[in-house]
Amino acid sequence: MQSVRMDFVVFKMISIIALFLMGSVENSKDINEIKLPTNFKPISYRLNVTTHLEDKFMFEGVVDIQMICIEATDTIVLHSNILKIDKKDVVVTNGSEYVVPVASVSFNPWKELMYVRSTVNFKTGDKYVLTIPFMGKITDALLGYYKSSYVDKENNQTKWLAVTQFEPADARRAFPCFDEPALKAKFKIILGHKKGLTAISNMRKINESESLSNPDYVFDEFEESVPMSTYLVAYMVSDLVFFESDSQDGEVKFRIIARKDTANQTEFAKKAGSSILKYYEDYFDEKFPLSKQDMVAIPDFSAAAMENWGLVTYREIALLIDPDVAAIDNIRSVVSVIAHELAHQWFGNLVTMKWWSDIWLNEGFATYVAAYGVNFLYPKWNYIQLKAVENYLSILKDDSLKSSHPLSVSAKNPNEIAKIFDTISYTKGSFLLHMMNMFLGENTFKQGIRNYINKHKFSNAEQDDLWNSLTEEAHRQGTLNKNLTVKLIMDTWTLQTGYPVLKVVRDYSADTVTLSQERFLTIKSNGTDKKSCWWIPLTTTTSTEANFNQTKAKSWLNCENNNLTLPLAKDNEWVIYNVQMAGLFRVMYDTRNWMGIISTLNDPNKYKTIHTLNRVQLIDDSFSFSQNGDLDYGITFQLLKYLKHESEYAPWLAASDGFTSIYELMQRTTDQALFQNYMQRILSPVYSRFRNMTTKLNDFEEIRFKNLIIAEACRYRINDCTEQVINLFSKWMNTTNPDQNNILPVELKSVIYCQAIKYGGVAEWDFLWERYKRSNVASEKVKLLTALGCSSDTWLLNRFLNWTLDNSIIRKQDAITVFYYVTKSDDGFLTAKNFLYSRLEDIANYFNNRGSAMSKYIRLIGSRMKTNEELEEIKMFMIRTYYYIQDGLSIDDTVESMNINIEWMSKFYRKIVNHLI
């Protein structure tokens, strides 16, 4: 029977993936199939957990859940996953002495559900207490209640800790619970652990007592929490050290918790976190509701950070800063993650989405507001604008695929929930909030947000609630026409997949301009998406006005007037729409208008009359329109000539993105050197400005600009760049005590490490590997680790990849990072592909058969493939290995990305070559 069943499962999987590859599968499951029934609502939990580390790596405990019956039923349904529960120990009472008779306890492991059925009906309005003892393993899966470790450098001993990671749906791995975001409750947590270790949780510790049954153990009791969702519950048992910031009476107590030998790396986070928390209290006009805020640096952590209320957990690289070695980009990274997680204390924790389909309300807002938090600490960085540029470039690329998804999307199971924590939720959500701020105005937008938080705090909301608060405030302040609502406008952006291209066609004889829209796709859809329609805020200026300060929409292009003709004076050399990238859309002009813009850009005395952000959009749009065939590459390359006098970072960032897309397609072709020579000519003028690698700069944008140009110059082998790198690295290798005397320019370490490894051999690789093993600074370790993937020696890369699965020095959280950088290197693609093909089962086992991890590997390989033969190869590979992937969305993404590459190679490769000569 077992073999027959397995054959059926394999056949079914092959059939499913074959349908995915043909693009014909729809998931027919109703979302209600995996949501809990509404018969019960939890009120409070009393959670008692004892943690056993080192000898057992397990936990045991008991949870008492007080709940109210909403609808009469004889069965309590809640979540439980991979827990050991003795059915006979499950008890239900009415909150006093009366024990409700339990007829049966059963489990559905596929749906991760637990059923407690009574012999009598539970009565509507009555309160009950469900008591469940449980046990579980502390695994290394980086989710649920998992283990992490580090080596104490004083005695060379391995130290273990246990910590939670429950978002989105893994609290059920640690204790039975109603594991849905809308089912908020208060939590009283008691943690048992061995003496010598410390326990922390969301709330402040109020009591410690000796264990009556085991003299080596103590119990720590924490004050009852505010109402919160289960995914925000957090606790940890460890020997990590506390570093507390100074605080005034009544202020929130702020602590950084980390390994003791990182003490010198905690000061920055203490000050930054405390300052940003106060800033948010003012921005949201709502006090932080807890008495303390802990931020913990975890040696092993799957994401960058997690916003657990009162106990935010981080990767070490996302929290710790060593002032002696930190580059400004490390500081930017840490402060932006801190700002993101602390923004969640309001957006996500205080007000929580009702269901995961609106996760963008959490992640989009945290991403958006984090830029304001960073800007508060570093007002000279121009960070709000720079972050808007990064978000804009990122989302326009990712959301141009047919296989993309709406911002608000149905998530039907835990795997699907995990997959919507992506660029759409974070980056598109953030940019659409930026767009609303632009068309509503800062005052209206901020006050609308404050009203929303005040109305829904300690509760749950959905996007319509946000639309209502913003509409009410906009109508009150008169910043939105009474005939319009935010919902009418924004539903077109959140409920539809993708974004529009605004088509601008001028009639030069009639002095008019006609506007229309359609969905932008990297591969055109033969008209099937023309029905898509958005409310597009229209902002514009002309060569005569050149006024780029008016970013508030004066009119809209919508579904009722989707072919709008307006007057435009003939003496305007050009017209530009979407002033300062105020909206999330591309703009396609007629050829004459493009040429007028190009004429201005190519004049070194006039190009700055076009705003920096619009130069960014013009560069990115021209690359993208040429990629899908809407704009001749000849026009794009004429526009790009202006870069020889472009002096700002953001337009060069956009140009670098566009050039990289072409370069990756030309890798492994006979014309790769031709493109390299073209890039040397393009880069040389701006490289001459930054060529001295040892010159120190202080301005944030200038530092990032230099880093970008040096990296590009070395990538495209400008001789002087390569020579400087090799000489600097050689000097460092020959210094006494290189770990303490790193003579390399701090801001350029990543570039220098990578290039030295690329052009070096075993000696350079082993030298950098030794530095990695000895480093105690997470940001430095990541720079070293990623650079090791730049090698040109196949056997070194192969060994490195295999070490990600077999070498205890490389942490599980970094395995995909190594694979990414090997895949992206000039010489690593084939090595990475062969590694994936030969060790797929080992990779899957290493990540506990988590499809999301496997799909990342496959997507990275697929993104670099560009022939029909490679497409057939990867299709067959995915069919054979679907058991390990189990992710139709990622399969669709991979195949579509490959089709884009194949189509580009077929249509444009030869044309590009002609422009490079």
Side-chain angles (χ1 to χ4, degrees):
M1 286 292 292
Q2 183 64 41
S3 61
V4 172
R5 170 64 180 165
M6 183 58 78
D7 289 343
F8 171 75
V9 170
V10 171
F11 173 77
K12 184 177 180 182
M13 288 176 176
I14 291 174
S15 300
I16 290 171
I17 194 170
L19 287 171
F20 267 120
L21 294 172
M22 292 186 292
S24 62
V25 168
E26 292 183 4
N27 194 330
S28 61
K29 283 187 177 181
D30 182 32
I31 192 171
N32 290 322
E33 283 187 26
I34 58 100
K35 291 186 75 172
L36 293 173
T38 57
N39 304 88
F40 282 93
K41 181 179 180 180
I43 300 170
S44 65
Y45 292 76
R46 182 179 177 87
L47 177 61
N48 194 321
V49 180
T50 299
T51 300
H52 302 283
L53 286 169
E54 297 181 356
D55 51 344
K56 298 179 181 179
F57 292 114
M58 57 84 65
F59 59 90
E60 57 187 332
V62 60
V63 62
D64 299 312
I65 309 173
Q66 185 185 40
M67 54 199 178
I68 186 169
C69 182
I70 305 298
E71 301 169 8
T73 179
D74 65 352
T75 304
I76 304 167
V77 186
L78 68 163
H79 290 106
S80 178
N81 186 21
I82 321 181
L83 293 171
K84 184 179 180 180
I85 296 171
D86 194 330
K87 298 178 182 179
K88 68 177 186 300
D89 293 332
V90 176
V91 176
V92 182
T93 69
N94 67 350
S96 56
E97 295 181 357
Y98 176 69
V99 176
V100 179
V102 173
S104 66
V105 176
S106 58
F107 301 90
N108 184 331
W110 299 105
K111 292 187 176 182
E112 302 174 357
L113 296 177
M114 175 179 181
Y115 304 86
V116 180
R117 190 170 67 83
S118 173
T119 58
V120 297
N121 262 5
F122 298 101
K123 296 179 180 178
T124 302
D126 282 4
K127 294 180 181 178
Y128 300 88
V129 175
L130 172 62
T131 300
I132 309 173
F134 58 89
M135 298 174 64
K137 293 180 179 179
I138 302 174
T139 70
D140 62 356
L142 305 184
L143 49 81
Y145 194 31
Y146 74 92
K147 63 186 176 182
S148 176
S149 67
Y150 67 95
V151 176
D152 189 328
K153 293 188 180 296
E154 285 186 6
N155 52 30
N156 203 35
Q157 287 185 346
T158 298
K159 297 296 186 74
W160 293 93
L161 60 98
V163 65
T164 58
Q165 170 56 41
F166 290 162
E167 189 180 39
D170 288 311
R172 63 192 70 173
R173 289 174 174 262
F175 61 97
C177 56
F178 293 85
D179 200 12
E180 292 181 0
L183 298 176
K184 288 187 170 183
K186 295 181 178 181
F187 287 82
K188 178 72 174 181
I189 295 177
I190 300 165
L191 300 176
H193 58 86
K194 204 168 187 178
K195 291 179 179 178
L197 299 176
T198 303
I200 54 173
S201 187
N202 304 85
M203 307 302 290
R204 185 171 53 88
K205 187 172 83 169
I206 57 176
N207 188 44
E208 180 180 303
S209 60
E210 298 276 342
S211 170
L212 299 178
S213 59
N214 190 333
D216 292 333
Y217 277 67
V218 294
F219 287 95
D220 292 333
E221 179 183 354
F222 300 86
E223 64 185 359
E224 188 174 57
S225 75
V226 296
M228 62 183 182
S229 306
T230 48
Y231 79 88
L232 294 169
V233 173
Y235 43 89
M236 181 179 76
V237 173
S238 74
D239 72 341
L240 299 182
V241 179
F242 295 75
F243 304 94
E244 187 166 334
S245 64
D246 297 329
S247 58
Q248 306 293 324
D249 288 343
E251 286 187 341
V252 177
K253 301 250 183 241
F254 222 96
R255 300 185 299 185
I256 307 299
I257 303 166
R259 293 180 291 115
K260 62 183 176 182
D261 55 1
T262 62
N264 68 318
Q265 302 176 39
T266 61
E267 193 64 28
F268 177 82
K270 279 196 301 184
K271 293 180 179 178
S274 180
S275 297
I276 291 172
L277 197 73
K278 291 176 186 176
Y279 168 75
Y280 284 155
E281 287 184 325
D282 177 65
Y283 185 90
F284 294 123
D285 193 27
E286 183 73 42
K287 284 289 186 183
F288 181 70
L290 309 185
S291 60
K292 65 95 177 174
Q293 176 64 69
D294 292 335
M295 303 204 298
V296 189
I298 308 295
D300 298 280
F301 198 76
S302 59
M306 174 61 207
E307 66 267 19
N308 314 298
W309 221 349
L311 177 54
V312 182
T313 45
Y314 296 80
R315 276 196 192 194
E316 289 191 340
I317 192 176
L319 185 65
L320 303 178
I321 287 288
D322 186 332
D324 295 329
V325 301
I328 198 165
D329 212 48
N330 299 132
I331 295 171
R332 177 204 63 83
S333 178
V334 167
V335 72
S336 63
V337 175
I338 290 173
H340 180 103
E341 301 310 322
L342 293 182
H344 271 309
Q345 308 304 303
W346 285 265
F347 259 94
N349 299 11
L350 187 63
V351 181
T352 311
M353 72 272 144
K354 289 182 179 178
W355 184 246
W356 299 105
S357 52
D358 282 330
I359 187 59
W360 81 269
L361 288 177
N362 285 19
E363 301 302 346
F365 252 105
T367 304
Y368 173 76
V369 175
Y372 285 77
V374 174
N375 186 70
F376 169 71
L377 285 186
Y378 297 100
K380 294 182 180 179
W381 281 9
N382 193 28
Y383 192 73
I384 293 175
Q385 177 174 297
L386 287 177
K387 190 61 182 175
V389 168
E390 291 175 353
N391 289 344
Y392 183 84
L393 295 175
S394 173
I395 194 58
L396 287 183
K397 182 178 181 180
D398 288 1
D399 205 24
S400 66
L401 302 178
K402 292 180 187 176
S403 55
S404 184
H405 63 79
L407 192 61
S408 185
V409 59
S410 294
K412 303 178 179 66
N413 58 57
N415 281 336
E416 288 189 14
I417 292 168
K419 290 179 183 69
I420 59 175
F421 284 77
D422 62 2
T423 308
I424 305 297
S425 296
Y426 285 72
T427 310
K428 186 175 184 178
S430 174
F431 198 89
L432 289 180
L433 292 167
H434 164 79
M435 186 174 84
M436 281 192 284
N437 194 335
M438 286 291 195
F439 72 70
L440 292 175
E442 176 75 29
N443 291 335
T444 296
F445 182 78
K446 182 190 283 189
Q447 190 56 51
I449 296 306
R450 290 174 170 180
N451 297 344
Y452 168 82
I453 288 175
N454 184 59
K455 183 175 182 179
H456 299 285
K457 60 186 177 183
F458 298 112
S459 187
N460 298 79
E462 53 195 355
Q463 69 175 22
D464 279 0
D465 297 314
L466 177 62
W467 302 159
N468 290 337
S469 291
L470 289 170
T471 299
E472 289 171 6
E473 189 60 31
H475 288 168
R476 189 183 72 80
Q477 293 192 25
T479 54
L480 188 67
N481 190 298
K482 293 285 186 181
N483 296 323
L484 297 180
T485 66
V486 173
K487 177 177 172 59
L488 176 67
I489 296 166
M490 293 308 300
D491 273 1
T492 66
W493 295 92
T494 62
L495 302 181
Q496 292 185 109
T497 302
Y499 59 86
V501 51
L502 176 68
K503 293 192 164 186
V504 179
V505 178
R506 295 173 65 178
D507 186 329
Y508 294 89
S509 60
D511 298 344
T512 60
V513 59
T514 299
L515 308 177
S516 60
Q517 63 167 299
E518 63 182 48
R519 181 182 173 189
F520 178 84
L521 288 166
T522 303
I523 292 184
K524 297 177 106 26
S525 62
N526 298 320
T528 57
D529 281 286
K530 289 187 180 295
K531 61 184 179 182
S532 298
C533 180
W534 290 261
W535 275 71
I536 301 177
L538 297 177
T539 56
T540 185
T541 190
T542 64
S543 56
T544 303
E545 299 170 342
N547 176 11
F548 287 87
N549 295 320
Q550 181 54 258
T551 58
K552 195 172 187 298
K554 293 182 179 179
S555 58
W556 299 82
L557 183 67
N558 58 52
C559 303
E560 283 90 43
N561 63 343
N562 199 20
N563 208 325
L564 181 64
T565 299
L566 301 169
L568 184 68
K570 68 173 63 176
D571 60 344
N572 287 296
E573 186 179 357
W574 45 255
V575 60
I576 287 178
Y577 280 85
N578 201 19
V579 173
Q580 291 195 42
M581 299 187 330
L584 185 64
F585 55 94
R586 298 194 183 281
V587 186
M588 180 64 185
Y589 303 102
D590 58 71
T591 300
R592 182 171 167 181
N593 199 80
W594 273 113
M595 297 311 296
I597 291 169
I598 289 170
S599 177
T600 298
L601 287 176
N602 277 291
D603 187 331
N605 299 314
K606 290 183 179 180
Y607 79 98
K608 285 192 175 181
T609 60
I610 299 176
H611 194 278
T612 305
L613 295 181
N614 286 96
R615 302 203 299 274
V616 169
Q617 175 160 24
L618 289 166
I619 292 168
D620 189 62
D621 280 354
S622 62
F623 270 121
S624 300
F625 290 138
S626 291
Q627 183 183 12
N628 78 350
D630 280 339
L631 186 68
D632 189 276
Y633 264 110
I635 294 176
T636 296
F637 276 90
Q638 286 189 61
L639 186 150
L640 295 171
K641 288 179 182 178
Y642 107 92
L643 288 170
K644 63 181 178 288
H645 50 251
E646 175 59 75
S647 61
E648 294 191 50
Y649 166 66
W652 266 104
L653 179 64
S656 173
D657 281 359
F659 285 132
T660 297
S661 296
I662 296 175
Y663 174 68
E664 289 180 347
L665 287 164
M666 299 197 76
Q667 280 180 308
R668 298 180 286 127
T669 71
T670 56
D671 295 299
Q672 181 174 340
L674 193 63
F675 185 76
Q676 179 178 300
N677 293 336
Y678 168 82
M679 289 304 302
Q680 290 174 359
R681 298 195 300 272
I682 285 286
L683 286 164
S684 289
V686 70
Y687 173 66
S688 64
R689 172 179 166 187
F690 295 120
R691 64 172 296 276
N692 190 335
M693 294 187 185
T694 59
T695 300
K696 291 185 178 180
L697 300 174
N698 295 316
D699 181 76
F700 177 70
E701 280 191 80
E702 280 289 282
I703 291 171
R704 298 196 84 189
F705 197 2
K706 179 177 181 177
N707 291 351
L708 174 69
I709 297 303
I710 296 293
E712 294 293 276
C714 284
R715 172 198 275 189
Y716 296 112
R717 302 186 185 183
I718 291 180
N719 288 335
D720 175 61
C721 188
T722 305
E723 289 172 4
Q724 282 193 74
V725 163
I726 292 172
N727 289 337
L728 285 168
F729 194 85
S730 178
K731 287 180 182 178
W732 180 40
M733 282 184 70
N734 292 312
T735 59
T736 304
N737 194 355
D739 296 306
Q740 298 300 318
N741 300 309
N742 191 328
I743 63 170
L744 303 181
V746 170
E747 303 297 343
L748 293 172
K749 281 182 182 177
S750 294
V751 177
I752 295 172
Y753 290 165
C754 179
Q755 294 300 311
I757 293 299
K758 180 177 180 178
Y759 296 110
V762 177
E764 286 77 10
W765 203 98
D766 287 346
F767 172 80
L768 216 60
W769 174 250
E770 189 63 27
R771 306 286 73 75
Y772 171 78
K773 290 191 293 182
R774 294 187 183 190
S775 177
N776 186 43
V777 180
S779 60
E780 186 70 8
K781 289 179 79 73
V782 168
K783 290 174 188 175
L784 294 164
L785 195 69
T786 56
L788 290 166
C790 297
S791 175
S792 301
D793 288 333
T794 300
W795 76 269
L796 280 173
L797 293 176
N798 194 48
R799 184 182 70 176
F800 191 34
L801 288 168
N802 280 283
W803 278 358
T804 62
L805 303 182
D806 305 328
N807 188 306
S808 61
I809 298 173
I810 300 174
R811 294 186 181 274
K812 181 179 290 190
Q813 65 188 19
D814 296 322
I816 188 68
T817 302
V818 172
F819 187 80
Y820 173 86
Y821 282 95
V822 171
T823 305
K824 289 289 185 181
S825 72
D826 284 343
D827 303 289
F829 169 73
L830 293 177
T831 304
K833 184 181 75 168
N834 291 336
F835 168 76
L836 176 62
Y837 286 5
S838 64
R839 299 208 63 184
L840 177 96
E841 186 174 354
D842 296 326
I843 297 169
N845 291 334
Y846 188 59
F847 287 99
N848 300 287
N849 285 331
R850 287 166 61 199
S852 59
M854 287 305 310
S855 63
K856 290 176 183 176
Y857 280 80
I858 292 173
R859 289 170 78 173
L860 284 172
I861 289 295
S863 69
R864 304 301 300 278
M865 291 179 161
K866 54 199 175 193
T867 67
N868 284 309
E869 291 76 16
E870 288 176 321
L871 177 60
E872 292 307 311
E873 173 189 317
I874 199 75
K875 281 183 178 180
M876 292 307 299
F877 174 71
M878 289 191 289
I879 288 174
R880 291 197 309 270
T881 59
Y882 184 68
Y883 173 78
Y884 301 111
I885 308 169
Q886 299 181 13
D887 182 1
L889 290 176
S890 290
I891 294 167
D892 275 352
D893 283 352
T894 300
V895 172
E896 185 174 359
S897 294
M898 291 180 65
N899 280 324
I900 289 170
N901 293 347
I902 293 167
E903 183 170 297
W904 189 92
M905 292 296 291
S906 171
K907 290 183 177 180
F908 303 117
Y909 175 75
R910 294 315 317 168
K911 292 181 180 180
I912 285 286
V913 169
N914 293 332
H915 290 295
L916 301 178
I917 299 172

